[in-house]
Amino acid sequence: MTTCNRLYDGLLRARVDDGRPFLRLPDGQVWSYAQTLAHARQLARVLAGQGVRPGDRVLVQVKKCPHALCIYLASIYLGAVYLPLNTAYTRNELEFFATDAEPALIIVDPSQRDAATTIGAKVMTLDAAGGGDLAAAAEAEPDDFEPVSRAPDDLAAILYTSGTTGRSKGAMLTHDNLLSNALTLTEAWRFTADDVLIHALPIFHTHGLFVATNIILAAAASMIFLPKFDANTIFENLPEATSLMGVPTFYTRLCDDPRLTADAVAHMRLFVSGSAPLLAETFAAFEARTGKWILERYGMTETNMITSSPYDGERRAGTVGFPLPGVAVRIADGETGEVGVIEVKGPNVFTGYWRMPEKTAEEFRADGFFITGDLGRFDDDGYLHIVGRAKDLVISGGFNVYPKEVETEIDALAGVLESAVIGLPHPDLGEGVTAVVVKHPGADVTAEAILMEIGQRLARFKQPKRIIFAEALPRNAMGKVQKSLLRKAHQKLYLNAQGLDSA
Ligand code: MCA
Ligand code: AMP
C-alpha cells in the first residue's frame, strides 16, 4: 500500500530494513535503524491503542534516551502531533501546556505519573532506562505498522516558546517545515552515511531534535547519543566522531579544557554552534587551539534554521553566515549595512501559534514574512550579523527565558513592589538571568526567600542566578523600565565574581 507521509517518506522509509547503526550509547549498546524503527512501530500501535488519532497531540516529558526518540518516530508513523517538553519544567508548567494543547496522551517519567494524572488526560510512563509501562506495552506488540498518510501542511509537532507577554505559545510545525529544513541542512553541511555526530543536546528543542536528529536520519548517519553535555565524555568520543552540534556554552567549556588540541579533533570535520550568540573570542580561541572554524547557524523554533556560515569559504566570526537555500531573509526597512529587525519567509517557517490567530497575525507581515524580533544587518559581502534583540529575551546556556514570566512570579510575592529581569554577560552561560527587585518600604524580603518561592513554579534554568535589591527601577518619560540602564549598571556582575551563581 502506498502512503504519503512527508516525514516518513523523507526520513524513515529508506531506513526500515537498514541494519546500520543509528544510535551508539555510552554503555556500548548500539541501536540499528531497523531495530529503532521496529520499536517505533510497536510504540505507534500502543499509542493508537490508547486512542491517539492522526492530528492528536502526544505530550512527552521524559528523560533523554533512545526510547524517547522512538516516541517521536512513532508519532510520525501515526500522523500525530509530537509535543516535547523540557524535563526541567515544574508541575505548574506541565499543567499549563497540557491544558492548552489538550493532548490525547501524556508520557512522563514514572516519578511524575501522579502529577500528570491530575491533569485529566491518559498518562503512560517511560524512564531513562526504558522502564515504565509504555515500553513494556510496546514489547508486547507486533512490530508492523503502516504509516498514516499526511499532507505536507499537516502538523508534525508543536513546540512551545515563551512570549514577551509571559504567556507561552505553541509553534505549529508541519511535515514540510521540518523535512525541507532537514534536507537543506544535510546538503549544506555535507552530511553523509559516513558521519558520526556527537549528540549531547536535549531532545525537546529544535536544535537537538529537528536539526541534529532529522539530519542524521536524512543522511542515514549515526549518533553517539549522550544523556547531556559532559566535557569528559565529549573528549572520549572525539576520536570516533566526525561532527558535534552545540550551544556556545559547549564551546566555551571545551576551550577551557587543556585537552582541546588539534590532535584531539583530528577526526572531526564539523563543529556547529547555534541557539545563542557565539562570541567572536570563542570562535578565535577554538581556531587557535584546533585550527578549525566553528560553523555558526541562526534559527528559531518558529522558523527552523534560517542562515548558516558557509561550509566552504570563510566562516566569519561574529556573523551567522548567509540565508540557507530556499529561505528569504530581509532586514525590515533596511538598506545594506543598516540595522533592523530580521524577517524571514520560506518552507521552513511555521504555520502559526496554536489556537492564537491574533498573535500569529501580529507576527507576520502582509506579504508572508515572519518577524523574528532579532536585530541584524547584512554586511557588504552578504554575511548576516545579529546585533541584538528587539524582543525582551534572555538566552541562558541556549535556553530562552522570557523576563516577563519571571517578573510576574516575583511581583506576586508578598513584600515585593516590582522587579525587572535582565540578562547579564556570564562566562559559562552567555547570559545570566538576573532579577532587580524593589521591596515595599519596610518589607522583610530576602533573595533566598524569593528563590525558594519561585523555585516551586519556574524551571531551574529560568530562576535568577542573582537577585539585586534596588530602591527603584529606572524609567523613561513614558514610564517604561529602562533595562538597558540596568544592564549597563550591572554588566560586570558575573565577570568579576569569584564564586559564581550564589544569590
Ligand atoms: C542547567 N542549568 C542552567 C542551564 N542548564 N541554568 C541556566 N541556564 C541553563 N542553560 C542549571 C542546572 O539546573 C543546575 O542547577 C545548574 O544550572 C548547573 O548545571 P550544570 O551541570 O552546569 O549545567 P549543565 O547540565 O551542564 O547544562 C548546561 C548546558 C545545558 C550544557 C548549557 O543547559 C544545555 O544543554 N543547553 C542546551 C539548550 C538547547 O538545546 N537549546 C536549544 C534551544 P542546580 O545544580 O543549581 O540545580 S532551540 C533554539 O534555541 C533555536 C531553535 C536554535 O537556534 O537552536
Ligand atoms: P528559540 O525561541 O528557542 O527558538 O530561540 C530563538 C532565538 O535564539 C532567536 O530568535 C535568536 O535570538 C537566538 N539565536 C539562535 N541562534 C542564534 C545565533 N547563532 N546567534 C545569535 N542568536 C541566536
Side-chain angles (χ1 to χ4, degrees), residues 175-210:
H175 277 244
D176 212 29
N177 293 153
L178 301 183
L179 185 65
S180 65
N181 211 237
L183 298 180
T184 300
L185 292 173
T186 305
E187 199 174 324
W189 297 345
R190 312 277 163 84
F191 271 86
T192 70
D194 293 332
D195 272 301
V196 180
L197 174 78
I198 299 183
H199 191 301
L201 289 160
I203 52 168
F204 42 72
H205 278 315
T206 297
H207 199 162
L209 188 61
F210 301 138

Side-chain angles (χ1 to χ4, degrees), residues 161 273-278 296-302 320 372 374 386 389 391 393 395 398 400 402:
T161 78
S273 176
S275 308
L278 180 75
E296 185 165 4
R297 95 300 180 279
Y298 158 60
M300 280 183 82
T301 304
E302 287 92 333
V320 292
T372 63
D374 292 309
I386 298 179
R389 295 176 205 133
K391 53 195 174 191
L393 162 70
I395 306 184
N400 287 6
Y402 278 85

Side-chain angles (χ1 to χ4, degrees), residues 88 159 200-208 211 228-230 246-247 249-250 253 274-276 297-305 395-401 428-429 431 433 460-463 465 501:
L159 260 58
L201 289 160
I203 52 168
F204 42 72
H205 278 315
T206 297
H207 199 162
V211 181
K228 59 175 286 208
F229 177 88
D230 168 68
V247 294
T249 301
F250 283 24
R253 289 186 184 180
S275 308
R297 95 300 180 279
Y298 158 60
M300 280 183 82
T301 304
E302 287 92 333
T303 62
N304 296 285
M305 297 306 102
I395 306 184
S396 166
F399 284 139
N400 287 6
V401 180
D428 183 41
L429 299 169
E431 292 178 298
V433 177
R460 184 81 185 91
F461 69 88
K462 297 179 189 169
Q463 297 168 28
K465 297 284 178 201
D501 302 347

Side-chain angles (χ1 to χ4, degrees), residues 2-67:
T2 19
T3 56
C4 175
N5 172 320
R6 210 59 205 282
L7 280 170
Y8 173 76
D9 292 340
L11 300 181
L12 309 183
R13 181 186 288 282
R15 318 275 165 258
V16 167
D17 300 317
D18 201 327
R20 268 178 298 193
F22 172 45
L23 304 177
R24 306 173 186 199
L25 305 186
D27 65 2
Q29 263 192 73
V30 175
W31 284 53
S32 68
Y33 274 95
Q35 176 190 355
T36 307
L37 292 184
H39 187 61
R41 291 191 296 272
Q42 289 177 306
L43 283 172
R45 282 179 161 274
V46 176
L47 267 50
Q50 291 291 322
V52 178
R53 302 279 163 258
D56 282 350
R57 276 75 57 212
V58 177
L59 186 153
V60 180
Q61 190 189 31
V62 297
K63 298 204 176 90
K64 184 177 177 183
C65 63
H67 297 84

